[in-house]
Amino acid sequence: MFNLESIVRPNVLKMKPYSSARDEFKGTATVFIDANENNLGSLAGKNYNRYPDPHQRKLKERIAEIKSVLPNQIFLGNGSDEAIDLLLRLFCRPGQDALLSFPPTYGMYEVSANLNEVRIDEVQLTADDFQIPVEKVLQNIKPETKIIFICSPNNPTGNSINAKSIEAVLRGFEGVVVIDEAYIDFAESPSWTNRLKEFPNLVVLQTFSKAWGMAGLRLGLAFASVEIISLLDKIKPPYNINESTQELALAALEKSEELKFMIEEILQERELLTKALPTLYAVIEVYPSDANFILVKVKDAQEMYNYLLEKGIVVRNRSSVPGCQNCLRISVGTLEENQQLIQAMTNFPIQD
Ligand SMILES: Cc1ncc(COP(=O)(O)O)c(C=O)c1O
């Protein structure tokens, strides 16, 4: 049985959160001289002399409507990277606890674990189809394991993790299961946010950095039970989402039609790349993708990387990642960029 209090770090349960000026005064007033702001105005314009809403109320209300969850089931972070770090700090005691993840996967789980002095246990995804070997995973759960990170669709492999495997992990583990859905908007499978009620140990991460095209604004989301979200709110830096990000995100949320069109175009372009690249001499395999990138195995990734760079095209060389030997991760670009890539790779000199 999942028991939240028993896995939260005791110091977090005990601590008092920071109380901001905006928290302490509620009501109406005309003179705000309680937060050491510059009341003369802002050199950046607008109302940027004022601290932003620490609870991001308007933004959460709108996101809640769109995602069919309650506003207090949403945590907003300075990118989902902030949510990853705070989840570790919420549940894992430095030098004592551990997390479990499935490489090849997103690198920040490991970086955050190392920063927080949390042991990282790893079970490799299956070699042929990058899936979770459920039996092995359940055997690798230790008393110190507090969080399991599942990235689906997975970065850098691009595939979604089977729902049945995820469900088995959710049911077989008494700690927190984080499903990182950064790329969910490009996948056909539904989000796990639909199943939050069923699993009190589930945290779903999403981000505005991918489909929404807002990587520069830094806005990530965590969805979970009201109890888990209130603990994340307790430990976050008070003003972690700046005012312009809150305003711009609120406006972007009204552009659902444009979002749909952009996703459709990216999916069409992904399809085009998925068909064109395997026909090329230099390409060994193009892995199926549910994301806005594809993983491509070539004969010699370093040579191809250098060659593309000479042509002014930057891809991500994932060759040094175990399980991704000779693989390049290629983001889906615009029609013109993708044609440029295909043209360049077609002209890659044949070597014996
Ligand atoms: C799987 C995954 N999770 C999280 C992130 C971080 O997203 P954000 O920009 O919201 O910090 C990335 C970024 O590439 C990612 O690939």
Side-chain angles (χ1 to χ4, degrees):
M1 268 287 284
F2 177 68
N3 178 340
L4 180 60
E5 281 215 356
S6 73
I7 65 158
V8 175
R9 280 169 65 193
N11 60 311
V12 173
L13 285 177
K14 262 190 262 146
M15 71 179 250
K16 262 177 78 171
Y18 178 74
S19 178
S20 71
R22 295 292 174 265
D23 281 324
E24 285 177 13
F25 173 77
K26 288 188 184 76
T28 48
T30 48
V31 180
F32 286 94
I33 44 178
D34 57 345
N36 298 347
E37 295 156 335
N38 184 342
N39 281 25
L40 274 54
S42 168
L43 294 175
K46 292 180 104 174
N47 54 341
Y48 295 141
N49 54 328
R50 297 297 184 185
Y51 282 101
D53 173 8
H55 307 292
Q56 307 104 21
R57 284 194 179 88
K58 280 192 204 151
L59 191 49
K60 284 184 181 172
E61 267 168 32
R62 190 67 191 106
I63 294 170
E65 283 170 7
I66 292 171
K67 301 279 181 183
S68 305
V69 296
L70 299 170
N72 55 4
Q73 286 186 292
I74 304 170
F75 167 82
L76 296 179
N78 192 287
S80 41
D81 284 344
E82 184 177 41
I84 293 169
D85 183 62
L86 288 176
L87 283 163
L88 276 170
R89 289 205 260 165
L90 176 56
F91 294 114
C92 302
R93 292 164 301 175
Q96 297 183 54
D97 292 328
L99 67 82
L100 184 57
S101 79
F102 310 116
T105 194
Y106 183 48
M108 278 307 286
Y109 313 140
E110 185 175 357
V111 171
S112 261
N114 289 338
L115 174 63
N116 289 299
E117 216 188 326
V118 169
R119 196 182 75 225
I120 176 155
D121 296 334
E122 296 182 325
V123 174
Q124 197 78 9
L125 292 174
T126 51
D128 50 344
D129 58 356
F130 301 124
Q131 288 296 327
I132 291 178
V134 177
E135 286 302 309
K136 207 164 159 189
V137 170
L138 297 179
Q139 283 159 14
N140 268 274
I141 292 170
K142 312 262 161 48
E144 313 87 85
T145 314
K146 293 291 165 66
I147 309 182
I148 296 181
F149 276 95
I150 299 174
C151 188
S152 180
N154 186 41
N155 176 6
T157 59
N159 62 294
S160 298
I161 304 299
N162 291 334
K164 282 222 163 72
S165 308
I166 296 182
E167 190 164 337
V169 175
L170 276 161
R171 293 194 190 283
F173 177 51
E174 294 191 347
V176 169
V177 178
V178 178
I179 306 179
D180 186 343
E181 293 187 338
Y183 301 97
I184 191 70
D185 296 308
F186 307 104
E188 275 172 22
S189 46
S191 166
W192 282 84
T193 52
N194 297 332
R195 302 190 64 184
L196 284 169
K197 269 202 200 113
E198 228 177 300
F199 300 108
N201 58 338
L202 171 60
V203 177
V204 179
L205 299 181
Q206 292 184 3
T207 179
F208 280 83
S209 296
K210 310 297 172 184
W212 290 89
M214 288 163 49
L217 292 179
R218 312 305 302 130
L219 187 60
L221 311 99
F223 302 93
S225 67
V226 173
E227 293 76 18
I228 292 179
I229 295 302
S230 76
L231 286 164
L232 283 172
D233 280 338
K234 181 177 180 182
I235 64 171
K236 82 181 178 69
Y239 304 109
N240 62 330
I241 310 298
N242 71 66
E243 179 64 25
S244 65
T245 295
Q246 293 192 41
E247 287 167 8
L248 291 166
L250 207 49
L253 284 168
E254 298 315 311
K255 299 186 179 172
S256 56
E257 276 302 296
E258 284 96 323
L259 174 72
K260 224 170 74 191
F261 288 134
M262 265 210 296
I263 293 172
E264 269 168 24
E265 196 171 327
I266 290 168
L267 295 187
Q268 269 174 25
E269 288 300 313
R270 184 181 77 193
E271 173 87 7
L272 215 122
L273 285 173
T274 309
K275 285 199 172 127
L277 294 179
T279 65
L280 306 184
Y281 162 81
V283 172
I284 292 176
E285 187 164 2
V286 173
Y287 294 94
S289 171
D290 285 328
N292 65 341
F293 60 83
I294 46 175
L295 190 71
V296 182
K297 193 181 219 82
V298 293
K299 291 194 173 139
D300 188 324
Q302 191 59 50
E303 269 190 28
M304 180 61 86
Y305 178 83
N306 293 341
Y307 164 82
L308 289 173
L309 207 53
E310 271 172 33
K311 307 270 173 206
I313 300 171
V314 190
V315 297
R316 191 98 147 99
N317 186 356
R318 298 280 75 193
S319 228
S320 60
V321 176
C324 293
Q325 288 82 358
N326 277 322
C327 285
L328 300 173
R329 194 195 67 194
I330 302 178
S331 307
V332 176
T334 62
L335 172 81
E336 293 75 24
E337 288 168 340
N338 299 332
Q339 281 171 348
Q340 223 178 306
L341 172 83
I342 293 168
Q343 191 61 49
M345 285 181 78
T346 305
N347 294 338
F348 183 72
I350 293 180
Q351 284 140 355
D352 290 320

